[in-house]
Coordinates of all heavy atoms in Angstrom, one line a residue:
M1 N -8.0 7.4 -24.3 CA -7.2 7.7 -23.2 C -8.0 7.9 -21.9 O -7.6 7.4 -20.9 CB -6.3 8.9 -23.5 CG -5.2 9.2 -22.5 SD -3.9 8.0 -22.7 CE -2.7 8.7 -21.8
A2 N -9.1 8.7 -22.0 CA -9.9 8.9 -20.8 C -10.5 7.7 -20.2 O -10.6 7.6 -19.0 CB -11.0 9.9 -21.2
D3 N -10.7 6.7 -21.1 CA -11.2 5.4 -20.6 C -10.2 4.7 -19.6 O -10.6 4.1 -18.6 CB -11.5 4.4 -21.7 CG -12.8 4.8 -22.5 OD1 -13.6 5.6 -21.9 OD2 -13.0 4.3 -23.6
E4 N -9.0 4.8 -19.9 CA -8.0 4.2 -19.1 C -8.0 4.8 -17.7 O -7.9 4.1 -16.7 CB -6.6 4.4 -19.7 CG -6.3 3.4 -20.8 CD -6.4 1.9 -20.4 OE1 -5.9 1.5 -19.4 OE2 -7.2 1.2 -21.1
V5 N -8.1 6.1 -17.6 CA -8.2 6.8 -16.3 C -9.4 6.4 -15.5 O -9.3 6.1 -14.4 CB -8.2 8.4 -16.5 CG1 -8.4 9.1 -15.2 CG2 -6.9 8.8 -17.2
I6 N -10.5 6.3 -16.2 CA -11.7 5.8 -15.5 C -11.6 4.4 -15.0 O -11.9 4.1 -13.9 CB -12.9 6.0 -16.5 CG1 -13.2 7.5 -16.7 CG2 -14.2 5.3 -15.9 CD1 -14.2 7.8 -17.8
K7 N -11.0 3.5 -15.9 CA -10.9 2.1 -15.5 C -10.1 1.9 -14.3 O -10.3 1.0 -13.5 CB -10.3 1.3 -16.7 CG -11.3 1.0 -17.8 CD -10.6 0.2 -18.8 CE -11.5 -0.1 -20.0 NZ -10.8 -0.8 -21.0
T8 N -9.0 2.7 -14.1 CA -8.1 2.5 -13.0 C -8.2 3.5 -11.9 O -7.4 3.6 -11.0 CB -6.6 2.5 -13.5 OG1 -6.3 3.8 -14.1 CG2 -6.4 1.4 -14.6
A9 N -9.3 4.3 -12.0 CA -9.4 5.4 -11.0 C -9.4 4.8 -9.6 O -8.8 5.4 -8.7 CB -10.7 6.1 -11.2
V10 N -10.1 3.7 -9.3 CA -10.1 3.2 -8.0 C -8.7 2.7 -7.5 O -8.4 2.8 -6.3 CB -11.1 2.0 -7.8 CG1 -10.6 0.7 -8.4 CG2 -11.5 1.8 -6.4
L11 N -7.8 2.3 -8.4 CA -6.5 1.9 -8.0 C -5.7 3.1 -7.4 O -4.8 2.9 -6.6 CB -5.8 1.3 -9.2 CG -6.2 0.0 -9.7 CD1 -5.5 -0.4 -11.0 CD2 -6.1 -1.1 -8.7
D12 N -6.0 4.3 -7.9 CA -5.2 5.4 -7.5 C -5.8 6.2 -6.3 O -5.2 7.1 -5.7 CB -5.0 6.4 -8.6 CG -4.2 5.8 -9.8 OD1 -3.2 5.1 -9.5 OD2 -4.6 5.9 -10.9
R13 N -6.9 5.8 -5.8 CA -7.6 6.4 -4.7 C -7.1 5.8 -3.4 O -6.6 4.6 -3.3 CB -9.1 6.3 -4.7 CG -9.6 7.1 -5.9 CD -11.1 7.0 -6.1 NE -11.9 7.4 -4.9 CZ -13.1 7.0 -4.7 NH1 -13.7 6.2 -5.5 NH2 -13.7 7.3 -3.6
Q14 N -7.1 6.5 -2.3 CA -6.7 6.0 -1.0 C -7.7 4.9 -0.6 O -8.9 5.0 -0.8 CB -6.7 7.1 0.1 CG -5.6 8.2 -0.2 CD -5.7 9.2 0.9 OE1 -6.6 9.3 1.8 NE2 -4.7 10.1 0.9
M15 N -7.1 3.9 0.1 CA -8.0 2.8 0.6 C -9.2 3.4 1.4 O -10.3 2.9 1.2 CB -7.1 1.9 1.5 CG -6.2 1.0 0.8 SD -7.0 -0.3 -0.1 CE -7.6 -1.3 1.2
K16 N -8.9 4.3 2.3 CA -10.0 4.8 3.2 C -11.1 5.6 2.4 O -12.2 5.7 2.9 CB -9.5 5.7 4.3 CG -8.9 7.0 3.9 CD -8.4 7.7 5.2 CE -8.0 9.1 4.8 NZ -7.6 9.9 6.0
E17 N -10.8 6.0 1.2 CA -11.8 6.7 0.4 C -12.7 5.7 -0.3 O -13.8 6.0 -0.6 CB -11.1 7.5 -0.7 CG -10.3 8.7 -0.3 CD -9.6 9.4 -1.4 OE1 -9.3 8.8 -2.5 OE2 -9.3 10.6 -1.2
V18 N -12.2 4.5 -0.5 CA -12.9 3.5 -1.3 C -13.6 2.5 -0.3 O -14.8 2.1 -0.6 CB -12.0 2.7 -2.2 CG1 -12.8 1.7 -3.0 CG2 -11.3 3.7 -3.2
F19 N -13.0 2.2 0.8 CA -13.5 1.1 1.7 C -13.7 1.7 3.1 O -12.7 2.2 3.7 CB -12.5 0.0 1.7 CG -12.2 -0.6 0.4 CD1 -11.0 -0.3 -0.3 CD2 -13.1 -1.5 -0.2 CE1 -10.8 -0.8 -1.5 CE2 -12.8 -2.0 -1.5 CZ -11.7 -1.6 -2.1
D20 N -14.9 1.7 3.5 CA -15.2 2.2 4.9 C -14.6 1.5 6.0 O -14.5 2.0 7.1 CB -16.7 2.4 5.1 CG -17.5 1.0 4.9 OD1 -16.8 0.0 4.8 OD2 -18.7 1.1 5.0
W21 N -14.1 0.3 5.8 CA -13.5 -0.5 6.8 C -12.0 -0.2 6.9 O -11.3 -0.7 7.8 CB -13.7 -2.0 6.6 CG -13.4 -2.5 5.2 CD1 -14.3 -2.7 4.2 CD2 -12.1 -2.8 4.6 NE1 -13.7 -3.1 3.0 CE2 -12.3 -3.2 3.3 CE3 -10.8 -2.8 5.1 CZ2 -11.3 -3.6 2.4 CZ3 -9.8 -3.2 4.3 CH2 -10.0 -3.6 3.0
S22 N -11.4 0.6 6.0 CA -10.0 0.8 6.0 C -9.7 2.3 6.5 O -10.5 3.2 6.2 CB -9.4 0.7 4.6 OG -8.0 1.0 4.6
D23 N -8.6 2.4 7.2 CA -8.2 3.8 7.6 C -6.8 4.1 6.9 O -6.2 5.1 7.2 CB -8.1 3.9 9.1 CG -7.1 2.9 9.7 OD1 -6.5 2.1 9.0 OD2 -6.9 3.0 11.0
S24 N -6.4 3.3 6.0 CA -5.1 3.4 5.3 C -5.2 4.6 4.3 O -6.2 4.7 3.5 CB -4.8 2.1 4.5 OG -3.6 2.4 3.8
T25 N -4.2 5.4 4.2 CA -4.1 6.5 3.3 C -3.3 6.0 2.0 O -3.1 6.8 1.1 CB -3.4 7.7 3.9 OG1 -2.1 7.3 4.4 CG2 -4.3 8.3 5.0
N26 N -2.8 4.8 2.0 CA -2.1 4.2 0.8 C -3.1 4.1 -0.3 O -4.3 3.7 -0.1 CB -1.5 2.9 1.1 CG -0.4 2.9 2.1 OD1 0.3 4.0 2.2 ND2 -0.1 1.8 2.8
P27 N -2.6 4.2 -1.5 CA -3.5 3.9 -2.7 C -3.9 2.5 -2.7 O -3.1 1.6 -2.3 CB -2.6 4.3 -3.9 CG -1.5 5.2 -3.4 CD -1.3 4.8 -1.9
V28 N -5.0 2.2 -3.3 CA -5.4 0.8 -3.4 C -4.4 0.0 -4.2 O -4.1 -1.2 -3.8 CB -6.8 0.7 -4.2 CG1 -7.2 -0.7 -4.5 CG2 -7.9 1.4 -3.4
R29 N -3.8 0.6 -5.2 CA -2.7 -0.1 -6.0 C -1.6 -0.6 -5.1 O -1.1 -1.7 -5.2 CB -2.2 0.9 -7.0 CG -1.1 0.4 -7.9 CD -0.5 1.6 -8.7 NE -1.5 2.4 -9.4 CZ -2.0 2.2 -10.6 NH1 -1.6 1.1 -11.3 NH2 -2.9 3.0 -11.1
D30 N -1.1 0.3 -4.2 CA 0.0 -0.1 -3.3 C -0.4 -1.2 -2.3 O 0.4 -2.1 -2.0 CB 0.4 1.1 -2.4 CG 1.1 2.2 -3.3 OD1 1.3 1.9 -4.5 OD2 1.5 3.2 -2.7
E31 N -1.6 -1.2 -1.8 CA -2.1 -2.2 -0.9 C -2.2 -3.6 -1.6 O -1.8 -4.6 -1.1 CB -3.5 -1.9 -0.3 CG -3.4 -0.7 0.6 CD -2.7 -1.0 1.9 OE1 -2.7 -2.1 2.4 OE2 -2.3 0.0 2.6
L32 N -2.6 -3.6 -2.9 CA -2.7 -4.8 -3.7 C -1.3 -5.3 -4.0 O -1.0 -6.5 -3.9 CB -3.4 -4.5 -5.0 CG -4.9 -4.5 -5.0 CD1 -5.5 -4.0 -6.3 CD2 -5.5 -5.8 -4.6
W33 N -0.4 -4.4 -4.3 CA 1.0 -4.8 -4.5 C 1.6 -5.5 -3.3 O 2.2 -6.5 -3.3 CB 1.9 -3.5 -4.9 CG 3.3 -3.9 -5.1 CD1 4.3 -3.9 -4.2 CD2 3.9 -4.3 -6.4 NE1 5.5 -4.3 -4.8 CE2 5.2 -4.6 -6.2 CE3 3.3 -4.6 -7.6 CZ2 6.1 -5.0 -7.2 CZ3 4.2 -5.0 -8.6 CH2 5.5 -5.2 -8.4
D34 N 1.4 -4.8 -2.1 CA 1.9 -5.4 -0.8 C 1.3 -6.8 -0.6 O 2.0 -7.7 -0.1 CB 1.6 -4.5 0.3 CG 2.4 -3.2 0.3 OD1 3.4 -3.1 -0.5 OD2 2.1 -2.3 1.0
Y35 N 0.0 -6.9 -0.9 CA -0.7 -8.2 -0.7 C -0.1 -9.3 -1.5 O 0.3 -10.4 -1.0 CB -2.2 -8.0 -1.0 CG -2.9 -9.3 -1.1 CD1 -3.4 -10.0 0.0 CD2 -3.2 -9.9 -2.4 CE1 -4.1 -11.2 -0.1 CE2 -3.9 -11.1 -2.5 CZ -4.3 -11.8 -1.4 OH -5.0 -13.0 -1.5
F36 N 0.2 -9.0 -2.8 CA 0.7 -10.0 -3.7 C 2.2 -10.3 -3.4 O 2.7 -11.4 -3.6 CB 0.5 -9.6 -5.2 CG -0.9 -9.8 -5.7 CD1 -1.7 -8.8 -6.1 CD2 -1.5 -11.1 -5.7 CE1 -3.0 -9.0 -6.5 CE2 -2.8 -11.3 -6.1 CZ -3.5 -10.2 -6.5
M37 N 2.9 -9.2 -3.0 CA 4.3 -9.5 -2.7 C 4.4 -10.4 -1.5 O 5.3 -11.4 -1.5 CB 5.0 -8.1 -2.3 CG 5.4 -7.3 -3.4 SD 6.8 -8.0 -4.4 CE 8.2 -7.5 -3.5
E38 N 3.6 -10.3 -0.5 CA 3.6 -11.2 0.6 C 3.2 -12.6 0.2 O 3.8 -13.6 0.6 CB 2.6 -10.6 1.7 CG 2.7 -11.2 3.1 CD 4.1 -10.9 3.7 OE1 4.6 -9.9 3.5 OE2 4.6 -11.9 4.4
K39 N 2.2 -12.7 -0.6 CA 1.6 -14.0 -1.1 C 2.6 -14.7 -2.0 O 2.7 -15.9 -2.0 CB 0.3 -13.7 -1.8 CG -0.4 -15.0 -2.1 CD -1.8 -14.6 -2.7 CE -2.5 -15.9 -3.0 NZ -3.8 -15.9 -3.5
N40 N 3.4 -13.9 -2.7 CA 4.4 -14.5 -3.7 C 5.8 -14.6 -3.1 O 6.7 -14.8 -3.9 CB 4.4 -13.7 -5.0 CG 3.1 -13.8 -5.7 OD1 2.5 -14.9 -5.8 ND2 2.7 -12.8 -6.4
G41 N 6.0 -14.5 -1.8 CA 7.3 -14.6 -1.2 C 8.2 -13.5 -1.7 O 9.4 -13.8 -1.9
K42 N 7.7 -12.3 -1.8 CA 8.5 -11.2 -2.2 C 9.1 -11.3 -3.6 O 10.1 -10.7 -3.9 CB 9.6 -10.9 -1.2 CG 9.1 -10.8 0.2 CD 8.8 -9.4 0.6 CE 8.5 -9.3 2.1 NZ 7.2 -8.8 2.4
D43 N 8.5 -12.1 -4.5 CA 8.9 -12.2 -5.9 C 8.3 -11.1 -6.7 O 7.1 -11.2 -7.0 CB 8.5 -13.6 -6.4 CG 9.0 -13.9 -7.8 OD1 9.1 -13.0 -8.6 OD2 9.5 -15.1 -8.0
T44 N 9.1 -10.2 -7.1 CA 8.6 -9.0 -7.9 C 8.0 -9.4 -9.2 O 6.9 -8.9 -9.6 CB 9.7 -8.0 -8.1 OG1 10.3 -7.7 -6.8 CG2 9.2 -6.7 -8.8
L45 N 8.6 -10.3 -9.9 CA 8.0 -10.7 -11.2 C 6.7 -11.4 -11.1 O 5.8 -11.1 -11.9 CB 9.0 -11.6 -12.0 CG 10.3 -11.0 -12.4 CD1 11.3 -12.0 -13.0 CD2 10.1 -9.8 -13.3
K46 N 6.5 -12.3 -10.1 CA 5.2 -12.9 -9.9 C 4.2 -11.9 -9.5 O 3.0 -12.0 -9.9 CB 5.3 -14.0 -8.8 CG 6.0 -15.3 -9.3 CD 6.0 -16.3 -8.2 CE 6.8 -17.6 -8.6 NZ 6.9 -18.5 -7.6
T47 N 4.6 -10.9 -8.6 CA 3.7 -9.9 -8.2 C 3.2 -9.0 -9.3 O 2.0 -8.7 -9.5 CB 4.3 -9.1 -7.1 OG1 4.6 -9.9 -6.0 CG2 3.4 -7.9 -6.6
E48 N 4.2 -8.6 -10.2 CA 3.8 -7.8 -11.3 C 2.8 -8.5 -12.2 O 1.9 -7.9 -12.7 CB 5.1 -7.5 -12.1 CG 4.9 -6.6 -13.3 CD 6.3 -6.3 -13.9 OE1 6.6 -7.0 -14.9 OE2 6.9 -5.3 -13.6
E49 N 3.0 -9.8 -12.4 CA 2.1 -10.6 -13.3 C 0.7 -10.7 -12.6 O -0.3 -10.6 -13.3 CB 2.7 -12.0 -13.4 CG 2.0 -12.9 -14.4 CD 2.7 -14.2 -14.6 OE1 3.9 -14.2 -14.8 OE2 2.0 -15.3 -14.5
A50 N 0.7 -10.8 -11.3 CA -0.6 -10.9 -10.6 C -1.3 -9.6 -10.7 O -2.6 -9.6 -10.6 CB -0.4 -11.3 -9.1
M51 N -0.6 -8.5 -10.7 CA -1.2 -7.1 -10.7 C -1.8 -6.8 -12.1 O -2.7 -6.0 -12.2 CB -0.2 -6.1 -10.3 CG 0.2 -6.1 -8.9 SD -1.1 -5.4 -7.8 CE -1.2 -3.7 -8.3
L52 N -1.3 -7.3 -13.2 CA -1.7 -6.9 -14.5 C -3.2 -6.9 -14.8 O -3.7 -6.0 -15.4 CB -0.9 -7.7 -15.6 CG 0.5 -7.4 -15.8 CD1 1.2 -8.3 -16.8 CD2 0.7 -5.9 -16.3
P53 N -3.9 -8.0 -14.4 CA -5.3 -8.0 -14.7 C -6.1 -6.8 -14.0 O -7.1 -6.4 -14.6 CB -5.8 -9.3 -14.0 CG -4.6 -10.2 -14.0 CD -3.4 -9.2 -13.8
F54 N -5.6 -6.3 -12.9 CA -6.2 -5.2 -12.2 C -6.2 -3.9 -13.1 O -7.1 -3.1 -12.9 CB -5.6 -5.0 -10.8 CG -5.9 -6.1 -9.9 CD1 -5.0 -7.1 -9.7 CD2 -7.1 -6.1 -9.2 CE1 -5.3 -8.1 -8.8 CE2 -7.4 -7.2 -8.3 CZ -6.5 -8.2 -8.1
L55 N -5.3 -3.8 -14.0 CA -5.2 -2.6 -14.8 C -6.3 -2.6 -15.8 O -6.7 -1.6 -16.4 CB -3.9 -2.6 -15.5 CG -2.6 -2.5 -14.6 CD1 -1.4 -2.5 -15.4 CD2 -2.7 -1.2 -13.7
K56 N -6.9 -3.8 -16.1 CA -8.0 -3.9 -17.1 C -9.4 -4.1 -16.4 O -10.4 -3.9 -17.0 CB -7.8 -5.0 -18.0 CG -6.5 -4.8 -18.9 CD -6.2 -6.0 -19.8 CE -4.9 -5.8 -20.5 NZ -4.3 -7.0 -20.8
D57 N -9.4 -4.5 -15.1 CA -10.6 -4.9 -14.4 C -11.4 -3.6 -14.1 O -10.9 -2.5 -14.0 CB -10.3 -5.6 -13.1 CG -10.0 -7.0 -13.3 OD1 -10.2 -7.6 -14.4 OD2 -9.5 -7.6 -12.4
S58 N -12.7 -3.8 -14.0 CA -13.6 -2.7 -13.6 C -13.4 -2.4 -12.1 O -12.9 -3.2 -11.3 CB -15.1 -3.1 -13.8 OG -15.4 -4.2 -12.9
D59 N -13.8 -1.2 -11.7 CA -13.8 -0.8 -10.3 C -14.5 -1.8 -9.4 O -14.0 -2.2 -8.3 CB -14.4 0.6 -10.1 CG -13.5 1.7 -10.6 OD1 -12.3 1.4 -11.0 OD2 -13.9 2.8 -10.6
E60 N -15.6 -2.3 -9.9 CA -16.4 -3.3 -9.1 C -15.6 -4.6 -8.9 O -15.6 -5.1 -7.8 CB -17.7 -3.6 -9.8 CG -18.7 -2.4 -9.9 CD -18.4 -1.4 -11.0 OE1 -17.6 -1.8 -11.9 OE2 -18.8 -0.3 -10.9
K61 N -14.9 -5.1 -9.9 CA -14.1 -6.3 -9.7 C -13.0 -6.1 -8.7 O -12.7 -6.9 -7.9 CB -13.6 -6.7 -11.1 CG -14.5 -7.6 -11.9 CD -13.7 -8.1 -13.0 CE -14.4 -9.3 -13.7 NZ -13.7 -9.8 -14.9
I62 N -12.3 -4.9 -8.8 CA -11.2 -4.6 -8.0 C -11.7 -4.5 -6.5 O -11.1 -5.0 -5.6 CB -10.5 -3.3 -8.4 CG1 -9.9 -3.5 -9.8 CG2 -9.5 -2.8 -7.4 CD1 -9.4 -2.2 -10.4
E63 N -12.8 -3.8 -6.3 CA -13.4 -3.6 -5.0 C -13.8 -4.9 -4.4 O -13.5 -5.2 -3.2 CB -14.6 -2.6 -5.0 CG -14.2 -1.2 -5.3 CD -15.3 -0.3 -5.5 OE1 -16.4 -0.6 -5.0 OE2 -15.1 0.8 -6.1
A64 N -14.4 -5.8 -5.2 CA -14.8 -7.1 -4.7 C -13.5 -7.9 -4.3 O -13.6 -8.6 -3.2 CB -15.5 -7.9 -5.8
F65 N -12.5 -7.9 -5.1 CA -11.3 -8.6 -4.7 C -10.7 -8.1 -3.4 O -10.3 -8.9 -2.5 CB -10.2 -8.5 -5.8 CG -9.0 -9.3 -5.5 CD1 -8.9 -10.6 -5.9 CD2 -7.9 -8.7 -4.9 CE1 -7.7 -11.3 -5.6 CE2 -6.8 -9.4 -4.6 CZ -6.7 -10.7 -4.9
V66 N -10.6 -6.8 -3.3 CA -10.0 -6.2 -2.1 C -10.9 -6.5 -0.9 O -10.3 -6.9 0.2 CB -9.9 -4.6 -2.3 CG1 -9.5 -4.0 -0.9 CG2 -8.8 -4.3 -3.3
N67 N -12.2 -6.4 -1.0 CA -13.1 -6.8 0.1 C -12.9 -8.2 0.5 O -12.9 -8.6 1.7 CB -14.5 -6.5 -0.2 CG -14.9 -5.1 0.0 OD1 -14.6 -4.5 1.0 ND2 -15.7 -4.5 -0.9
E68 N -12.7 -9.1 -0.5 CA -12.6 -10.6 -0.2 C -11.2 -10.9 0.4 O -11.1 -11.8 1.2 CB -12.9 -11.3 -1.4 CG -13.0 -12.8 -1.2 CD -13.4 -13.5 -2.5 OE1 -14.4 -13.1 -3.1 OE2 -12.8 -14.6 -2.8
N69 N -10.2 -10.2 0.0 CA -8.8 -10.7 0.3 C -8.0 -9.8 1.2 O -7.1 -10.2 1.9 CB -8.0 -10.9 -1.0 CG -8.6 -12.0 -1.8 OD1 -8.3 -13.1 -1.6 ND2 -9.3 -11.6 -2.9
L70 N -8.3 -8.5 1.3 CA -7.6 -7.6 2.1 C -8.3 -7.1 3.4 O -7.6 -6.6 4.3 CB -7.1 -6.3 1.3 CG -5.9 -6.5 0.4 CD1 -6.1 -7.5 -0.7 CD2 -5.4 -5.2 -0.1
K71 N -9.6 -7.3 3.4 CA -10.3 -6.8 4.6 C -10.0 -7.7 5.8 O -10.0 -8.9 5.7 CB -11.8 -6.9 4.3 CG -12.7 -6.3 5.3 CD -14.2 -6.3 4.9 CE -15.0 -5.7 6.0 NZ -16.4 -5.7 5.6
K72 N -9.6 -7.0 6.9 CA -9.2 -7.7 8.1 C -10.3 -7.7 9.1 O -11.1 -6.9 9.2 CB -8.0 -7.0 8.6 CG -6.8 -7.2 7.7 CD -5.6 -6.4 8.2 CE -4.5 -6.6 7.2 NZ -3.7 -5.5 6.9

């Protein structure tokens, strides 16, 4: 059980805590959700499917994706 918390810890932290380029107080998870909702034409099912891999990915993979796709 503790492993799950560690794996997804970055998802629950505020954007500005994880990324020095962000001033958002939203959790990383919410920012990713918004990104995929926009990309999928507000299709909740497609967005949910796109989010699933992030629940298993390492913090490094999540951070790399966010840096590549959400950094403005």
Side-chain angles (χ1 to χ4, degrees):
M1 188 76 166
D3 284 346
E4 282 304 306
V5 173
I6 292 168
K7 283 184 187 175
T8 62
V10 76
L11 289 175
D12 297 319
R13 292 177 59 202
Q14 292 180 354
M15 285 289 289
K16 69 179 187 177
E17 291 177 338
V18 182
F19 304 100
D20 58 6
W21 49 263
S22 178
D23 60 359
S24 175
T25 57
N26 291 335
V28 173
R29 178 187 314 271
D30 290 358
E31 294 288 336
L32 284 169
W33 181 267
D34 292 346
Y35 168 79
F36 284 117
M37 280 294 276
E38 195 64 36
K39 190 171 179 180
N40 292 324
K42 308 270 188 238
D43 185 320
T44 305
L45 294 176
K46 285 182 182 176
T47 297
E48 186 177 87
E49 191 176 307
M51 287 288 294
L52 283 175
F54 291 97
L55 299 177
K56 297 176 186 152
D57 282 345
S58 68
D59 287 353
E60 292 79 19
K61 273 189 167 179
I62 294 167
E63 289 174 24
F65 181 89
V66 171
N67 275 319
E68 190 173 312
N69 294 283
L70 277 69
K71 189 175 181 179
K72 295 175 179 139

